[in-house]
Structure formats: C-alpha cells, structure tokens
Amino acid sequence: MVCLNVAWKSLRSLMTSSFSKAFSLSNFQSVKNTVQEELKSYSSVLSKSCSNAFSPKKLEAVVKKVTVTEEMSKNAIVYGLVETEHETLLKKVEEVLAEIGEKPNLTSCSRVGTKRDNAIRPVKITLKSIDHVNQILRNAKMLHTKTGYSGIYICPDRTAEQRKADKRLWEQLKTKRKMEPEKDHRIQNGRIVSSEKDSKPAVSNVG
C-alpha cells in the first residue's frame, strides 16, 4: 500500500509537470518529447519506490508458493490404510474409493514418509483435476459409516507443518472414539465434531 501511494503521488506530480510543460510548447513533436521524458522519470521513481516490495527474491517466493499450492490441490492424502509387505497399493486405494462411489483414474499413488515398525504411512494420490479431488473429499465422510473402513480418512494434501497438525487431530479423534463409543465423532472444518449415533429429530404427535 505504501508503495502504491508513493507511486501515485509521483505519477500525479510528474503528469502535472508534463502537461504544464507541454502546453507551453508550440509544436506536437515537442509535446511528444516532453511526455516521453516525464514518463521515463516516472518509471525511474516507481522502480525505486517499489524495489523492495517487488524484489526478484520476493517475486520468486510468491511464484513458487502459488506453483506448489496448484500442484498440491490435485492431491489427496489417505490415512489409516493398512500397510503390508509387497502390497498392491493402487488396488487398495481403488477399493477404498469404491466404497464412496468413486472410480477415478489416478495419476500416481504412493506411501509418504519413512517406513517404521508399528506405524502406518499415509498414501498420497494424485488425480488429473482439482474438481475430482474436491468431489472425493466431499464424499470421504461416508467412510466412517462403512464396515472395515471407519478408521480410514481422506484429506487434502498439506505442507509438512499442516500434516503434523492433522496427525495430532487424528490422534485426538481416536481417543475421543475410544472414550465415548456411544457417540459419533468426525473431523469437520479442522475440528472434532460429536453427535449422538442414529439421532433423529423428535416428532410431536398432534391429535
């Protein structure tokens, strides 16, 4: 905002000066030359005032962030899918997606992270379109009602910091389900939401 204010003030001052000079001259070529000189001067002022805001390093960082975000938006992460030796991972993922009525063509499918004993690595899947990823994410909530799939979750792709936060949330969800099995617990909008199982609105009998 500071940069734009400085630029606007400079432009207004220079253009005022330009028109003042231009109308004091007697021919078109002189007017043209005057305006060109003032625009060059304005360009110089603008470059200096905005050099910090639009430095190559900052622009590179912004472009990189946008590119990474665009790439990640075509991914989804599957948590809780049992890991076995010599597994056919693609088939496992397709079976999970079939449970929510999805049969997408996956671009890639792989485990994420270092393999450790007694730990299940998440699976990153990549699809061709962002729309299909969003559709899968919308339907993923159905998994917690499916027998044999209630411990599997599908989430958007995240940065390393975001994945750590997600992992803590999953652990909290597991604890919640263990401590309060009589209720239905799920993750919604970055927090755990609980409700009574098979709850139905009360119906009043009006006779």
Side-chain angles (χ1 to χ4, degrees):
M1 183 60 72
V2 174
C3 174
L4 292 176
N5 288 337
V6 172
W8 171 244
K9 289 180 181 179
S10 300
L11 176 61
R12 184 169 55 185
S13 175
L14 289 169
M15 291 305 291
T16 300
S17 173
S18 175
F19 281 112
S20 177
K21 292 180 181 179
F23 285 107
S24 68
L25 297 173
S26 59
N27 59 71
F28 176 78
Q29 187 60 44
S30 295
V31 173
K32 180 179 179 181
N33 291 340
T34 300
V35 172
Q36 287 179 340
E37 289 176 3
E38 297 297 350
L39 285 176
K40 287 181 181 179
S41 178
Y42 167 70
S43 177
S44 176
V45 171
L46 182 61
S47 297
K48 290 179 181 179
S49 63
C50 298
S51 60
N52 291 331
F54 298 102
S55 64
K57 287 185 178 180
K58 289 187 177 181
L59 286 174
E60 183 180 354
V62 170
V63 172
K64 184 177 180 180
K65 184 176 181 179
V66 171
T67 301
V68 171
T69 301
E70 178 69 17
E71 291 176 351
M72 291 175 67
S73 64
K74 293 183 180 179
N75 301 334
I77 306 297
V78 183
Y79 292 92
L81 188 58
V82 175
E83 184 172 1
T84 58
E85 290 291 336
H86 311 297
E87 65 184 359
T88 307
L89 189 56
L90 178 60
K91 183 178 179 181
K92 283 185 174 182
V93 172
E94 288 177 340
E95 289 175 351
V96 171
L97 296 179
E99 288 292 323
I100 58 175
E102 298 292 336
K103 295 182 179 180
N105 291 321
L106 302 179
T107 301
S108 65
C109 174
S110 61
R111 293 279 180 183
V112 179
T114 304
K115 187 174 182 179
R116 295 186 177 89
D117 293 337
N118 301 320
I120 299 176
R121 292 180 295 170
V123 179
K124 181 170 76 172
I125 61 175
T126 303
L127 293 91
K128 293 182 178 180
S129 74
I130 298 174
D131 290 340
H132 209 159
V133 172
N134 291 335
Q135 184 174 322
I136 288 174
L137 293 174
R138 283 194 298 269
N139 293 336
K141 60 185 179 182
M142 296 166 56
L143 285 172
H144 79 277
T145 65
K146 304 287 184 177
T147 303
Y149 295 90
S150 60
I152 297 177
Y153 313 95
I154 304 177
C155 307
D157 194 7
R158 305 292 193 191
T159 62
E161 292 76 13
Q162 290 171 327
R163 285 198 296 269
K164 288 180 181 178
D166 285 344
K167 185 178 180 181
R168 288 194 294 269
L169 196 58
W170 302 133
E171 294 300 327
Q172 292 172 12
L173 180 63
K174 290 179 182 178
T175 301
K176 197 78 172 175
R177 285 177 170 172
K178 185 177 180 179
M179 299 297 292
E180 301 177 13
E182 73 282 0
K183 293 185 178 181
D184 181 27
H185 308 283
R186 63 188 182 279
I187 293 175
Q188 183 176 317
N189 298 326
R191 62 191 183 91
I192 297 175
V193 177
S194 302
S195 61
E196 298 296 333
K197 287 186 176 180
D198 300 323
S199 59
K200 296 181 180 180
V203 177
S204 60
N205 296 320
V206 178

